[in-house]
Amino acid sequence: MTGLADMHCGAHPALPAGWSCPSCERILCSGCTAVGVIGVPVCAACGHGVATLYVTRAEAFPWAESWPRALGWMWTKEAMGLLALFAVVLQVLLSLGPSAWVAARVLEAGWLSVTVARTSAAMNPFDPRAFGELPRVLRGPVPRWLAAAGVPLLVAAWLSTLGSRAVTWGSVGAWASALALVGILPPALVVAGLEGPGRAVAWPWALPEWIRRLGADLLPLHAFAAVAVGMEFVDGTLAPFSAGDMSLELSYVKAFIPRFLSVLSLAGLGCLAGHLLWTRASGLGHGPAEADRVPRVREAPSGTYVPPARDPAELEAERARRYAPIDLETEEAPAEGPVERAQRVAAQGDYAAAAALLWSVVAVPGATDGARALVILARLHVERLGEPRLGETLYRRVVAEHPGTSAAAYAQARLDEDG
């Protein structure tokens, strides 16, 4: 629905509108909307059911305001414990030789893709069960983002000879591949995480167009990528920890600190990439477009609906005119319509058949005479079929489904009479 981002309540212009009333055509905020008898939102002015206004997640959660909250997954004891354990496993694997170094990097790439995938689906990426998704991402997202970021990663692997030596701070190749990774990895992760209509392989020549589309939203991702790459430099630069030839000669305990900070930064990068996909879903082609709709106002309705007082004489006249056009005990036949036909059958004494006819009317959503059929059906069950509880349920249904109408007023009066 276009233009909803700037729509405000008609009665309170400073407040955003979250509902619209088709009856009185008001645009409503949470204070102008009330909760009806069965929990559905109604207009606090007229009592009619209201329609919720939906917007895309990009409108409801602007990236500039919502991206810091995407990091909230990380700041729990469970997440920190899992990241620390993962950092230890990586550090050990990276120090065991070329084969283990390659395995560690593949594990790291898969874990990063799992983080992106789960965050883009609004799921906790730091649930230990998330590692069960590794086989899926190793067949899908990981190859897709490696297609774009693979060249600087291969350069890094070649410079460090698969972890057998450290690369010094003065290495021009190391800095060039590090800067390339900082620039390429964030957009490659976002594009590789796409699922649905926009799914694509992030080839290097396609990245400039994606970087243009994502724009300034990539800046926080670049910052986390820079910290992760910087920690790789500290921890032996592009080489893993090696007790024998690591240029900084750090102990295992001290080497764990930059490794943990690197893992923490990659976790933040994955959370942000996934949140960017979740936020801009339909704009990027991530998932079905219909899933990218959220209520514009997330507060629950807080208004109060007070039904207007009815004059007893007017109410009695309404009863006689609208809901009992014939006496059920007479043989008089009114103009034939579905409800009148049921009344004629009831007048002939076949109350069960009349009830069946009325049930067929109320079963049709939006039936023109649905409210009236419900009221007469309730009367039949209470007055002729000896089922007062079912009749009371039907009266309550009239009040709930047709608020503010004369049918609801009649049904409510009957409920009040029966106590």
Side-chain angles (χ1 to χ4, degrees):
M1 196 176 289
T2 358
L4 289 184
D6 300 320
M7 193 175 285
H8 290 77
C9 174
H12 308 96
L15 299 177
W19 298 267
S20 66
C21 177
S23 176
C24 61
E25 299 183 349
R26 296 171 186 261
I27 303 298
L28 311 168
C29 65
S30 59
C32 293
T33 313
V35 178
V37 288
I38 57 170
V40 297
V42 298
C43 174
C46 70
H48 195 282
V50 295
T52 303
L53 301 181
Y54 288 90
V55 293
T56 63
R57 287 195 287 261
E59 292 175 287
F61 304 96
W63 173 255
E65 300 170 14
S66 69
W67 73 261
R69 293 200 297 271
L71 303 175
W73 297 109
M74 295 165 50
W75 312 125
T76 63
K77 288 186 292 185
E78 294 78 9
M80 285 296 174
L82 183 68
L83 291 174
L85 179 62
F86 187 63
V88 169
V89 171
L90 278 182
Q91 193 71 1
V92 170
L93 286 174
L94 290 169
S95 64
L96 293 180
S99 301
W101 187 90
V102 171
R105 294 304 185 186
V106 170
L107 178 64
E108 190 175 34
W111 164 76
L112 182 55
S113 287
V114 168
T115 304
V116 176
R118 288 181 69 86
T119 311
S120 72
M123 297 168 65
N124 181 6
F126 303 113
D127 185 334
R129 290 170 294 184
F131 283 95
E133 297 180 27
L134 278 172
R136 180 184 67 83
V137 298
L138 288 174
R139 291 192 303 269
V142 171
R144 291 203 296 271
W145 68 259
L146 285 179
V151 173
L153 285 170
L154 286 173
V155 170
W158 174 72
L159 289 170
S160 64
T161 57
L162 299 185
S164 63
R165 68 182 181 86
V167 180
T168 62
W169 287 89
S171 167
V172 177
W175 278 105
S177 60
L179 289 173
L181 276 174
V182 171
I184 290 174
L185 187 55
L189 277 173
V190 174
V191 179
L194 288 170
E195 297 291 346
R199 183 169 172 171
V201 177
W203 298 111
W205 52 85
L207 278 184
E209 174 58 23
W210 280 101
I211 292 171
R212 186 193 64 76
R213 285 181 63 182
L214 296 169
D217 291 354
L218 284 173
L219 291 176
L221 283 73
H222 287 306
F224 274 84
V227 174
V229 170
M231 289 303 104
E232 288 286 346
F233 266 95
V234 173
D235 189 17
T237 62
L238 295 176
F241 173 74
S242 168
D245 62 5
M246 186 172 175
S247 59
L248 298 181
E249 297 179 357
L250 299 175
S251 67
Y252 272 99
V253 176
K254 289 181 180 177
F256 167 74
I257 296 172
R259 175 59 52 200
F260 175 71
L261 292 176
S262 173
V263 166
L264 191 64
S265 303
L266 287 175
L269 174 61
C271 286
L272 290 176
H275 185 68
L276 184 56
L277 282 170
W278 180 83
T279 303
R280 295 181 56 176
S282 54
L284 298 176
H286 178 64
E290 59 272 14
D292 186 22
R293 310 293 291 173
V294 294
R296 182 166 185 256
V297 173
R298 291 178 293 282
E299 294 88 1
S302 57
T304 306
Y305 172 62
V306 181
R310 295 292 302 273
D311 180 69
E314 181 190 346
L315 184 57
E316 188 57 40
E318 179 70 17
R319 288 178 183 176
R321 181 182 68 80
R322 183 70 176 158
Y323 303 112
I326 63 168
D327 190 329
L328 292 181
E329 294 177 353
T330 72
E331 294 293 332
E332 180 187 350
E336 200 77 336
V339 177
E340 285 78 12
R341 190 178 308 119
Q343 289 183 297
R344 178 169 56 79
V345 172
Q348 294 167 357
D350 195 349
Y351 304 128
L357 285 169
L358 291 168
W359 277 113
S360 67
V361 174
V362 302
V364 178
T368 311
D369 224 4
R372 182 168 170 238
L374 271 174
V375 172
I376 298 175
L377 183 61
R379 287 193 61 189
L380 271 175
H381 282 289
V382 172
E383 300 170 19
R384 296 292 182 267
L385 296 173
E387 296 174 329
R389 289 195 177 181
L390 178 54
E392 180 184 343
T393 302
L394 290 168
Y395 281 135
R396 294 190 184 281
R397 181 175 163 183
V398 176
V399 174
E401 293 182 3
H402 306 277
T405 63
S406 54
Y410 176 85
Q412 187 62 58
R414 283 303 181 94
L415 291 169
D416 294 341
E417 283 175 9
D418 295 340

